[in-house]
Amino acid sequence: MTTYNWDLIERLLHEVQNGAGHSFTPRPYAEQYAAEKAAQGEEIENLDHLKAVAGEYEKLLLERGYIEPRPEEEGGNGENFVLTPRGSRLLSLIDSSIPGNDHPRQVLDEQEDALDEFTFDDLASKAQIA
């Protein structure tokens, strides 16, 4: 069973969403994420490992259709992305600013691989997950 760091994925998706005009850099985003967690008194995992995971998530999100290259007319520079409809659905499910996001994350965690395209699309189509 594959487990994901939903907080880190949420951070990356928000950076994609707000990334017009600048390059997407997952490693520094992982550092910022770790610093925020530490400031909140939470224990963080090994920073080098977290940076590597962020890079793996970027590749996974791109390969599985959650993000795609940002078009030039939308501020694309060849090194940044936009959310696809699938990526937008994922962000809306795991967004920590939305009350009750724990249930969708729990449902996702119960899957063999929640970010598998077919698994996620099936889950996201069910109203009861949200």
Side-chain angles (χ1 to χ4, degrees):
M1 184 172 286
T2 304
T3 57
Y4 294 101
N5 180 332
W6 297 118
D7 289 335
L8 181 57
I9 289 174
E10 176 188 357
R11 174 61 180 258
L12 296 175
L13 292 175
H14 277 297
E15 293 293 344
V16 165
Q17 193 174 44
N18 302 318
H22 67 273
S23 297
F24 182 78
T25 53
R27 294 175 66 83
Y29 300 146
E31 284 182 40
Q32 295 163 4
Y33 162 80
E36 289 168 8
K37 291 294 182 186
Q40 295 170 358
E42 293 184 34
E43 184 127 354
I44 58 163
E45 55 190 281
N46 177 292
L47 186 57
D48 288 333
H49 174 72
L50 196 61
K51 289 181 195 178
V53 168
E56 291 169 16
Y57 284 169
E58 174 190 18
K59 181 179 176 188
L60 181 83
L61 292 169
L62 183 60
E63 287 176 348
R64 294 190 179 178
Y66 293 91
I67 61 176
E68 63 188 15
R70 182 177 293 273
E72 272 188 48
E73 60 272 10
E74 293 179 22
N77 61 13
E79 296 180 359
N80 57 2
F81 305 100
V82 292
L83 295 177
T84 63
R86 181 181 288 142
S88 294
R89 286 192 307 272
L90 175 59
L91 182 56
S92 70
L93 286 174
I94 65 171
D95 196 329
S96 59
S97 68
I98 299 172
N101 75 324
D102 291 342
H103 176 69
R105 288 180 179 206
Q106 179 184 354
V107 172
L108 291 169
D109 282 339
E110 292 170 354
Q111 307 309 307
E112 186 66 32
D113 182 352
L115 294 182
D116 171 78
E117 302 95 305
F118 302 108
T119 301
F120 180 79
D121 290 348
D122 183 53
L123 278 175
S125 71
K126 297 178 180 173
Q128 69 268 25
I129 188 174

